[in-house]
Amino acid sequence: WCRQNRNIHTSDYIQLLAIIMKYLKIVLTVGIIITLFSCGFGESEEEKLINGYYIGWHDLEANRNIYIKDSSNPHIGQVIISGYVYSVGFDNRFILAKSLPNAENKDFKTYYILDTDGNFNTNLDNNNLQRFFDLDKFNDALIKKGLDKIKFDKNYNLNPY
């Protein structure tokens, strides 16, 4: 009886197997698409500042930094001010920035003056980029350079998490 029953329903099993394979293919395709988009295309934000300089982050807001894009390939950039940049002001030549090297430690802040005129040199102690660990020294340098009128008009949450 079992052998005869199998022969009668073999075409039904083949049809059932074809339906299962069809749905399995759909489920696997959707799973692969979800995996690719969840890992490879994280959240990001980017704003143009001046002279090819941008402020932005990818994946985590705590990674907000200032960078310059490669002129030959806009998908490649060089980070100029790293850490978590939480406040920025600029005019047509200078970018002023306040940064937390570690977004979890609000006690240690770094201040920057970036001169965007000319080619950027990656060395910190040069004419293009000055770094300060003391707010009073930063403010003194702003006054000395005549940059104290620049407003910090881009301010971000001090708690990016």
Side-chain angles (χ1 to χ4, degrees):
W1 182 80
C2 287
R3 188 176 284 171
Q4 187 180 22
N5 194 14
R6 280 191 206 147
N7 290 337
I8 293 173
H9 298 292
T10 302
S11 64
D12 292 336
Y13 290 126
I14 292 173
Q15 287 177 348
L16 179 63
L17 185 60
I19 292 170
I20 290 171
M21 292 300 288
K22 178 182 173 183
Y23 285 109
L24 184 61
K25 186 190 238 182
I26 292 170
V27 169
L28 286 174
T29 302
V30 169
I32 289 171
I33 289 171
I34 288 172
T35 301
L36 286 175
F37 280 99
S38 67
C39 296
F41 303 100
E43 287 186 72
S44 64
E45 181 181 285
E46 175 181 271
E47 290 180 68
K48 185 171 183 175
L49 297 174
I50 55 168
N51 300 335
Y53 287 84
Y54 294 79
I55 184 167
W57 56 272
H58 184 71
D59 288 333
L60 292 173
E61 189 177 346
N63 295 333
R64 184 183 311 278
N65 54 55
I66 294 177
Y67 53 94
I68 189 167
K69 289 188 177 182
D70 187 313
S71 58
S72 62
N73 185 347
H75 300 292
I76 297 175
Q78 178 184 4
V79 174
I80 307 301
I81 300 174
S82 62
Y84 172 61
V85 177
Y86 66 91
S87 188
V88 177
F90 58 94
D91 62 7
N92 61 349
R93 179 175 170 179
F94 290 93
I95 297 173
L96 311 178
K98 298 177 183 179
S99 173
L100 297 170
N102 178 350
E104 294 176 359
N105 183 357
K106 313 286 183 282
D107 297 329
F108 185 69
K109 296 177 181 172
T110 310
Y111 309 94
Y112 294 92
I113 299 173
L114 173 61
D115 184 350
T116 66
D117 191 29
N119 294 327
F120 183 77
N121 182 349
T122 57
N123 297 326
L124 268 175
D125 297 320
N126 62 37
N127 294 331
N128 296 88
L129 182 63
Q130 292 180 291
R131 177 174 57 182
F132 301 87
F133 299 109
D134 181 87
L135 181 59
D136 291 332
K137 289 182 181 177
F138 175 66
N139 287 330
D140 289 345
L142 293 179
I143 292 168
K144 184 177 178 182
K145 292 178 175 277
L147 303 175
D148 54 318
K149 302 290 186 231
I150 297 175
K151 302 281 185 226
F152 284 89
D153 52 3
K154 292 192 178 294
N155 296 291
Y156 305 97
N157 190 348
L158 271 174
N159 296 308
Y161 295 107

